[in-house]
Amino acid sequence: ADVPAGTKAPSDPARLAKTKGVTVLSAPVVTTRSGTSAKITITQPTPTPGARSANIGLTIEIKPTIIASGEIAFSGVATDRGVHGRIEGEDARALEFVTRELHFSGVAKHGQTVLLQTKAEVSLHKGGRTAPYQLALYLTFEKKPATPVKKSSSTKKRSSSSTRRKR
């Protein structure tokens, strides 16, 4: 979610949409096997001067691993790219972008939601005006039942974990 600068995102993601000035963009869910990276990309092409386009939006790459204690260790990076401003001059036009990256790691229990909120404020152009925003990500970790994988004559079970992200 894009949160107005200085606003503390609520710890419960269900209350996020009720927070003044917050825009909840999406709430995707991804399931991956323990120790395997997963990637979510929520972007849209934006035309730029010179007949090219650039993707703006959020990309999250995360690697959850179920550890001996049964908890889920995780690490990853979130990359957020937005339009910062437009420059209209006599001789040239330009579209300015801002990109912020959030590198993270931690350990979560089954069903736990982790809130990651940037401290850095970035001015983004939204709805015809530019205002300072912070990025807030909610990661909810769940262990899913092992799914049998058939191998020749024997069957092996593998653990997997699911991560929900609300931006």
Side-chain angles (χ1 to χ4, degrees):
D2 285 327
V3 179
T7 301
K8 182 167 175 26
S11 58
D12 178 5
R15 294 188 355 228
L16 184 65
K18 297 174 186 168
T19 305
K20 184 179 178 180
V22 170
T23 305
V24 177
L25 302 172
S26 64
V29 175
V30 65
T31 301
T32 186
R33 293 189 187 281
S34 177
T36 304
S37 292
K39 187 175 188 177
I40 293 177
T41 302
I42 308 161
T43 60
Q44 63 184 25
T46 300
T48 64
R52 296 180 70 185
S53 70
N55 287 328
I56 62 169
L58 179 68
T59 300
I60 302 170
E61 190 160 354
I62 189 165
K63 182 178 179 181
T65 303
I66 300 172
I67 57 178
S69 66
E71 295 175 307
I72 303 165
F74 62 91
S75 62
V77 62
T79 304
D80 187 35
R81 183 178 197 192
V83 175
H84 184 64
R86 300 178 192 286
I87 301 167
E88 299 284 340
E90 275 186 40
D91 300 326
R93 294 181 334 197
L95 187 60
E96 184 178 3
F97 296 94
V98 63
T99 302
R100 53 188 167 182
E101 285 189 354
L102 179 63
H103 295 256
F104 56 87
S105 66
V107 177
K109 293 179 180 2
H110 170 70
Q112 181 179 351
T113 297
V114 176
L115 169 61
L116 302 172
Q117 183 173 358
T118 60
K119 292 186 186 281
E121 298 175 7
V122 175
S123 293
L124 298 176
H125 187 73
K126 291 183 167 204
R129 65 183 197 93
T130 301
Y133 287 90
Q134 294 171 295
L135 177 65
L137 298 172
Y138 290 89
L139 308 176
T140 301
F141 296 90
E142 297 177 353
K143 291 189 283 186
K144 300 289 185 178
T147 305
V149 177
K150 289 189 176 184
K151 290 232 177 176
S152 302
S153 60
S154 66
T155 302
K156 289 188 175 184
K157 290 186 176 182
R158 295 190 178 204
S159 296
S160 65
S161 62
S162 174
T163 305
R164 296 178 191 204
R165 295 172 184 83
K166 187 174 269 191
R167 179 175 179 252

